[in-house]
Amino acid sequence: MVKYTEKTVLMDSATVSRSISRIAYEIVERNKGTDNLVVIGIQTKGVSLARKIIQKIQEIEGIKLPLGNLDITFYRDDLTRLNTHPVVKGNDIAFPIEDKRIILVDDVLYSGRTIRAAIEELFDMGRPAKIELAVLIDRGNHELPIKADYIGRSVPTARNEYINVLINENDNIEKVSICEKGVNI
């Protein structure tokens, strides 16, 4: 097991809150409102972030957007490298995605492989009109040609670093930090 040591705090809860507000305002502005818009969070931390974005959009527009939860476990390209018994949380998307404008939300964009898997899974469910990506942190080092439309913060990182998004049990993001790989234990 690899141990990580916190190196730097990138965002405290107030900074995260301001970033979420900015992302929400940008989503409303670029989409000229909320018509035909849905938000889908990637399990697990993307769902927490998606809830926060929806809450902020509701404050701005007075409309609560539909929220879906997407579990990409079986769409991962590294599934066989993980566990022989992966934990599957399942999808919870109680609305059709056909012809919808989807805001796909995840906490951290790194290689792009999670987003590729999510998009592939969404297309297996229907044909959305558009998919836009919102992330709290874009840490660079993309391996696929995927870029976020809405970014809380871009932070170039080394491959031996890890971005930790700490979320409490009330779905509040407490802090975001860069951690460094330590020794194997």
Side-chain angles (χ1 to χ4, degrees):
M1 181 175 167
V2 176
K3 183 178 180 179
Y4 291 92
T5 306
E6 186 173 272
K7 190 171 151 182
T8 306
V9 174
L10 296 172
M11 303 170 93
D12 59 14
S13 62
T15 307
V16 170
S17 181
R18 285 191 297 274
S19 293
I20 290 170
S21 292
R22 184 173 32 79
I23 289 169
Y25 275 103
E26 287 177 8
I27 288 169
V28 171
E29 186 173 326
R30 286 188 201 169
N31 286 281
K32 297 177 175 73
T34 58
D35 290 342
N36 208 33
L37 202 61
V38 299
V39 180
I40 297 176
I42 299 174
Q43 295 278 7
T44 59
K45 293 179 182 178
V47 175
S48 298
L49 181 58
R51 278 192 197 101
K52 295 296 181 192
I53 291 169
I54 286 173
Q55 287 172 357
K56 185 49 77 173
I57 289 174
Q58 186 173 7
E59 289 175 24
I60 299 165
E61 293 290 297
I63 294 171
K64 185 168 185 176
L65 295 175
L67 171 65
N69 301 346
L70 189 66
D71 182 341
I72 61 144
T73 301
F74 293 121
Y75 285 80
R76 294 178 62 111
D77 62 5
D78 62 352
L79 183 61
T80 56
R81 295 182 193 176
L82 295 174
N83 194 328
T84 53
H85 302 290
V87 176
V88 179
K89 297 188 177 174
N91 295 330
D92 183 10
I93 301 175
F95 48 84
I97 67 164
E98 194 74 26
D99 295 322
K100 296 288 185 190
R101 290 181 297 143
I102 296 173
I103 304 298
L104 183 62
V105 181
D106 204 6
D107 59 336
V108 178
L109 173 58
Y110 180 38
S111 68
R113 293 178 183 279
T114 296
I115 305 309
R116 183 221 39 94
I119 291 169
E120 188 176 318
E121 186 168 0
L122 287 171
F123 276 113
D124 281 351
M125 294 177 189
R127 189 175 191 275
K130 185 175 188 177
I131 299 173
E132 293 181 316
L133 177 60
V135 297
L136 188 57
I137 300 289
D138 181 346
R139 62 173 285 194
N141 298 306
H142 303 177
E143 297 171 4
L144 300 174
I146 291 177
K147 92 179 193 37
D149 301 281
Y150 310 98
I151 302 168
R153 184 163 174 193
S154 293
V155 182
T157 59
R159 293 207 180 267
N160 68 329
E161 294 174 323
Y162 171 78
I163 300 290
N164 184 37
V165 178
L166 182 62
I167 299 175
N168 69 22
E169 57 195 41
N170 296 325
D171 261 355
N172 291 319
I173 301 170
E174 295 182 354
K175 71 177 176 177
V176 178
S177 55
I178 295 180
C179 298
E180 195 168 42
K181 285 184 183 175
V183 294
N184 290 336
I185 53 173

